[in-house]
Amino acid sequence: FPSHDIAAKELIIERQKPFVHFSGTDIDFPPASFLQPSKESEYAMISKICSWIEQTKVQKSSKLVDLFCGLGTFSFPIAKYGALTSDS
């Protein structure tokens, strides 16, 4: 059976380094990374998370945690609400 482990494959050539843009920050997009299925769903989830944070009246001194943060899809937008710890 062929290997389906994309992360185990070696990158041979890259004409241009791919990147994504989160909340004003360009992030390198390494092989085997993933994003949300669509920009619309990504924006909807970010909006919902930020809305929840605003409703809880989080203080700038609060500590927030983004577990399994990956590239930072949610980390960058929520970092404006408090000190952020992330764990991928």
Side-chain angles (χ1 to χ4, degrees), residues 1-13 30-32:
F1 293 98
S3 173
H4 295 306
D5 185 5
I6 296 172
K9 305 237 185 266
E10 183 178 347
L11 181 62
I12 307 281
I13 188 169

Side-chain angles (χ1 to χ4, degrees), residues 21-38:
H21 192 78
F22 297 134
S23 297
T25 304
D26 291 337
I27 306 296
D28 289 340
F29 193 83
S33 296
F34 69 92
L35 297 171
Q36 301 306 318
S38 70

Side-chain angles (χ1 to χ4, degrees), residues 65-81:
V65 178
D66 184 4
L67 300 175
F68 309 102
C69 64
L71 295 173
T73 303
F74 305 115
S75 301
F76 288 96
I78 66 175
K80 65 184 176 186
Y81 295 102

Side-chain angles (χ1 to χ4, degrees), residues 7-20:
K9 305 237 185 266
E10 183 178 347
L11 181 62
I12 307 281
I13 188 169
E14 185 175 69
R15 291 179 186 223
Q16 182 177 356
K17 186 97 176 140
F19 69 93
V20 291

Side-chain angles (χ1 to χ4, degrees), residues 53 56-64 79-83:
I53 292 171
T56 60
K57 298 181 171 68
V58 169
Q59 303 296 314
K60 282 282 188 187
S61 60
S62 297
K63 293 181 181 176
L64 305 171
K80 65 184 176 186
Y81 295 102

Side-chain angles (χ1 to χ4, degrees), residues 38-52:
S38 70
K39 278 288 186 197
E40 293 80 14
S41 66
E42 179 182 307
Y43 292 144
M45 289 187 286
I46 290 170
S47 176
K48 190 59 143 175
I49 292 167
C50 290
S51 175
W52 286 334

